[in-house]
């Protein structure tokens, strides 16, 4: 039920660190999961079973499926401030207040990097303050890391948020996915891990995770796990993968600059600084649903109506056309 041991071992090293003491001390209960979604769902079910009266605090906005996942697991949802529409950046003060005001021992859902849909991540200093306040309140941080490597191009750097929490002595939950950073969307390959107090608790938690998996899908598929463990278990292949992840992230970063430059060259009076300040696969453009509708109907450019552009779809060949269309509907 727990899936591939080799894949899970390699996946934990990516998130917790190659030489993590928690891995050595067998303090991480981890199972192969059906990609990031499956990892989140397994955790939500685990939360409901063992903390039936607990709530989950979810950022506003978030990946829409988070709401569906915790809803279907029958966990009560609360929200916390995250995005500030005025600055198109982080509402740090609102976020900190909500952490302070939540009942002690609440569950908080955090995007480890490349926040979806906003592309707005806290700085390292802000993560340290968030970690501190979550510790003070005795909250439980659950990280969703769907884009490790896709934000900065370096999986180590993208795991910094989690490492800060680990240094502060938190117990954490973590969902990992290979859908984007290894292009394995169709294989549904990921991992759910829970950092425990000690080895005894780890054995118990892992056993309970497996018991949750058994009646849901019995056991996860083997193919993606073999791809991941083959690549990450071979230093040469792993290096090649790291280079390719960086190339993908750098391409997206390059497209952000190109889109902003093109808009500025067209003489747009609006500030497009947020395009390059944001990080990861998505640009939360700030366009209204009506402007997005115009892009669709008049220019055949498609994005979610909240104005979220998938930067992965922007290329040197279409960035000029895109900038021109955005300028037309926003001027
Ligand atoms: N979490 C976030 C924040 C995401 O953006 C996504 C993908 O869109 C996922 C989880 C889950 O992706 P998957 O189930 O394909 O790994």
């Amino acid at each position: 039920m727990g899936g591939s041991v080799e894949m899970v071992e390699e996946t934990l090293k990516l998130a917790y660190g190659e030489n993590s003491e928690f891995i050595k001390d067998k303090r991480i209960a981890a199972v192969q999961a059906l990609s990031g979604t499956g990892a989140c769902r397994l955790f939500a079910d685990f939360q409901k079973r063992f903390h039936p009266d607990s709530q989950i605090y979810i950022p506003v906005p978030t990946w829409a499926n988070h709401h569906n996942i915790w809803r279907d697991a029958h966990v009560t949802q609360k929200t916390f401030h995250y995005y500030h529409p005025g600055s198109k950046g982080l509402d740090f003060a609102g976020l900190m207040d909500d952490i302070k005001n939540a009942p002690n021992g609440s569950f908080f859902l955090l995007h480890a990097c490349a926040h979806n849909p906003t592309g707005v991540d806290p700085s390292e200093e802000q993560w340290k303050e968030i970690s501190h306040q979550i510790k003070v309140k005795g909250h439980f941080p659950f990280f969703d890391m769907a884009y490790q490597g896709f934000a900065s191009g370096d999986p180590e750097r993208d795991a910094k948020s989690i490492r800060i929490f680990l240094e502060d002595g938190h117990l954490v939950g973590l969902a990992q996915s290979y859908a984007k950073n290894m292009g394995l969307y169709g294989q549904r390959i990921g991992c759910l891990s829970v950092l425990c107090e000690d080895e005894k608790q780890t054995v118990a938690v892992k056993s309970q995770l497996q018991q949750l998996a058994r009646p849901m899908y019995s056991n996860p598929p083997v193919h993606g796990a073999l791809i991941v463990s083959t690549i990450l278990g071979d230093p040469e292949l792993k290096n090649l993968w790291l280079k390719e992840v960086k190339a993908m992230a750098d391409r997206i970063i390059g497209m952000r600059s190109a889109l902003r430059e093109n808009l500025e060259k067209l003489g747009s009076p609006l500030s497009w600084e947020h395009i390059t300040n944001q990080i990861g696969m998505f640009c939360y453009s700030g366009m209204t649903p009506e402007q997005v509708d115009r892009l669709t109907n008049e220019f055949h450019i498609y994005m979610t109506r909240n104005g979220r552009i998938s930067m992965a779809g922007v290329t040197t060949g279409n960035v000029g056309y895109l900038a021109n269309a955005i300028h037309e509907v926003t001027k």
Side-chain angles (χ1 to χ4, degrees):
M1 286 90 84
S4 157
V5 172
E6 292 80 6
M7 188 287 297
V8 167
E9 274 174 9
E10 294 300 335
T11 305
L12 295 182
K13 283 191 222 162
L14 274 186
Y16 294 82
E18 186 79 29
N19 301 309
S20 162
E21 58 182 294
F22 305 116
I23 297 177
K24 280 196 206 103
D25 295 345
K26 299 192 169 41
R27 281 185 53 194
I28 309 174
V31 293
Q32 184 181 328
L34 304 185
S35 213
T37 307
C40 286
R41 180 60 198 268
L42 200 56
F43 182 80
D45 283 340
F46 180 78
Q47 181 185 344
K48 184 65 190 176
R49 182 165 291 182
F50 293 99
H51 295 272
D53 299 323
S54 67
Q55 305 165 341
I56 183 91
Y57 279 76
I58 292 181
V60 180
T62 194
W63 178 52
N65 211 18
H66 283 146
H67 294 293
N68 307 333
I69 290 168
W70 268 268
R71 178 200 63 214
D72 277 10
H74 307 288
V75 175
T76 306
Q77 296 178 37
K78 295 273 157 119
T79 55
F80 66 87
H81 285 87
Y82 190 84
Y83 179 74
H84 191 274
S87 66
K88 297 192 178 67
L90 186 67
D91 181 359
F92 186 60
L95 182 158
M96 291 300 282
D97 277 349
D98 290 344
I99 293 173
K100 280 182 202 151
N101 294 332
N104 290 358
S106 299
F107 287 71
F108 269 76
L109 168 66
L110 303 164
H111 297 224
C113 63
H115 183 273
N116 179 6
T118 67
V120 173
D121 283 351
S123 67
E124 218 175 294
E125 275 317 304
Q126 287 169 330
W127 273 123
K128 284 183 184 158
E129 288 187 49
I130 294 168
S131 168
H132 175 74
Q133 198 51 50
I134 285 186
K135 192 81 198 283
V136 167
K137 292 286 298 184
H139 297 324
F140 184 88
F142 178 75
F143 284 95
D144 184 4
M145 184 156 62
Y147 300 94
Q148 188 176 9
F150 248 58
S152 67
D154 175 6
E156 278 293 299
R157 218 170 119 191
D158 289 355
K160 189 69 199 173
S161 54
I162 294 168
R163 305 283 172 83
I164 288 170
F165 275 67
L166 296 178
E167 272 165 31
D168 284 351
H170 287 276
L171 300 180
V172 303
L174 170 65
Q176 288 171 266
S177 163
Y178 288 106
K180 323 297 183 319
N181 60 10
M182 239 184 237
L184 294 177
Y185 206 100
Q187 299 293 342
R188 311 313 293 149
I189 174 74
C191 180
L192 170 66
S193 57
V194 180
L195 177 60
C196 300
E197 301 276 7
D198 52 35
E199 190 177 345
K200 191 166 166 238
Q201 192 181 59
T202 304
V203 172
V205 169
K206 183 169 176 187
S207 156
Q208 293 303 322
L209 292 176
Q210 294 184 156
Q211 288 198 36
L212 282 164
R214 182 67 175 158
M216 256 201 289
Y217 53 85
S218 189
N219 50 284
V222 73
H223 227 92
L226 283 173
I227 296 173
V228 172
S229 55
T230 302
I231 293 172
L232 297 184
D234 176 329
E236 213 173 302
L237 290 177
K238 184 172 177 182
N239 267 335
L240 191 57
W241 172 68
L242 288 171
K243 271 191 207 147
E244 290 180 354
V245 170
K246 182 161 168 38
M248 292 305 297
D250 284 350
R251 197 195 76 75
I252 289 175
I253 291 166
M255 284 305 111
R256 285 182 180 280
S257 303
L259 181 59
R260 181 178 163 187
E261 275 165 26
N262 272 274
L263 279 159
E264 286 168 357
K265 261 194 235 146
L266 286 164
S268 172
L270 305 172
S271 166
W272 296 101
E273 210 182 324
H274 57 285
I275 298 179
T276 47
N277 287 344
Q278 296 171 359
I279 195 158
M281 221 168 92
F282 301 113
C283 167
Y284 209 49
S285 66
M287 282 185 286
T288 62
E290 293 71 30
Q291 291 168 337
V292 172
D293 289 344
R294 278 194 64 199
L295 284 179
T296 302
N297 297 331
E298 295 172 32
F299 298 91
H300 296 282
I301 292 170
Y302 302 90
M303 63 186 66
T304 49
R305 284 188 88 231
N306 58 8
R308 189 196 71 172
I309 302 169
S310 171
M311 292 306 297
V314 185
T315 67
T316 47
N318 66 24
V319 68
Y321 180 81
L322 175 64
N324 184 58
I326 291 177
H327 181 50
E328 282 301 318
V329 303
T330 56
K331 68 183 178 190

